[in-house]
Amino acid sequence: MKLRGGNALGIYISIPFCRSKCTYCNFASGVFLASDHARYVERVIADIAGARTWSEGRGTELPRRVDTVYLGGGTPSLLAPELVAQLFATMRAEFDLDVDAEITMECAPGQLPDATLAALVAAGVNRVSLGVQSFVDSEAHASGRLHSRAIVEADLKRLRTAGITNLNVDLIAGLAGQTFASWEESLEILIASEVPHASVYMLEVDEDSRLGREMLKGGARYRARLVPHEDAIASMYERAIERLEAAGLRQYEISNFCRPGFASRHNLRYWQRRPYLGVGLDASSMLRAPAMHCESGLVSGRDFSRARTESPLSESFAPVDSLALRATTTDDLQAYLAGTGASEIEWLTPAQQHEEAWFLGLRTNEGVDVAALRAEFGEELVDPAMETAKRMTEDGLLDFDGARARLTARGRLISNEIFQEFLQPEVAESSRRT
Ligand code: SF4
């Protein structure tokens, strides 16, 4: 069995509360009553406390050691200080957090009261991600954000004064009303802020967002007609890469840029397929489980766990590989609060993990280490994918130097299409012929 991550776990906690709903947002987040916050944290605490039993019941490995924690949302900084303290007290009671664990909290500018900031510092939060999206006030407001450039700058100052210097700023290319000039302005201000990490996303309008519905059905409330053309959005993204790299923020993933030593360790674990426990609304976990060959074939984690506990291992069981369990909690808040929402559970076979290894690895500028893939998954799975990789290399979408495959600059612009090819090679093959 191969386990990744040196037996360390990452924990993601979803806090789905927002003070207002952004026009482009389709996440399972919303504006809920403050009274729901305490009930919600109570449920999250119960899930953290019950995680070991839950994992054992499925035969998965749940390392006690934790090296990254990420509170995302939503807007976790809306939690009252005592709720932040309760969450971390439970986490520290159930798991061993490394002394140098990276502990990130997402915050909305202007929505981080002094008492909450003090609670974050006391809890050990050492990285904050600010959802800025645009430093141009009119764009931010039109997208449903409540802050201004001045508020963001004041928050960055407060965070640094409080000792949190590992800071990320999110920007979105393609907001309604955005122009090349206003995009340059946002990039300029981001660079001047000297944050060590930036995330830049190209707007993808989902039809379930208010902006998406207005694009489909018409209307003027959310300025859908002012969303830039996709070619313009791609040019803005390319300009961001150029400007940020020149300013010392090196791209290390499709959407992420950092100064040396400031890559997000938590997000890297997703792309490197290291295990994580997701707790809260619509949160995903990926845990590994031993798989065994027995006379009747491959035995997955739950059955393996039962075999291991109910009878001594016989000679007919031999560990061959690891399976991965993906579990996603319900996105229905009331069901989650009532404890009635079932999690979706899926076992990923080695073949499915191999597909993920391609599309997750290609997200990073380091790319995919082909020898490591062969060692983990064998020729049978890797060889057909290499045919796809070679074809993409001929098309200028991948750069393959014989050891690693990486997306080219052009490939990054259509990364989702490229990932599809690795998911469905037979579909890719037929579309290539037409
Ligand atoms: S802050 Fe984030 S989660 Fe909340 S509405 Fe805006 S985009 Fe969605």
Side-chain angles (χ1 to χ4, degrees), residues 324-369:
L325 175 87
R326 177 170 311 116
T328 307
T329 53
T330 176
D331 62 0
D332 179 335
L333 179 69
Q334 295 312 322
Y336 182 75
L337 290 175
T340 55
S343 293
E344 270 179 36
I345 289 188
E346 183 187 8
W347 285 102
L348 300 181
T349 63
Q352 289 169 309
Q353 291 180 63
H354 166 256
E355 286 180 344
E356 283 204 349
W358 277 96
F359 71 78
L360 292 174
L362 285 176
R363 293 194 65 89
T364 65
N365 283 32
E366 284 219 322
V368 171
D369 178 342

Side-chain angles (χ1 to χ4, degrees), residues 358 366-374 386 399-406:
W358 277 96
E366 284 219 322
V368 171
D369 178 342
V370 175
L373 276 199
R374 286 194 197 284
M386 281 309 297
D399 178 19
F400 178 55
D401 61 9
R404 285 184 172 273
R406 303 175 176 87

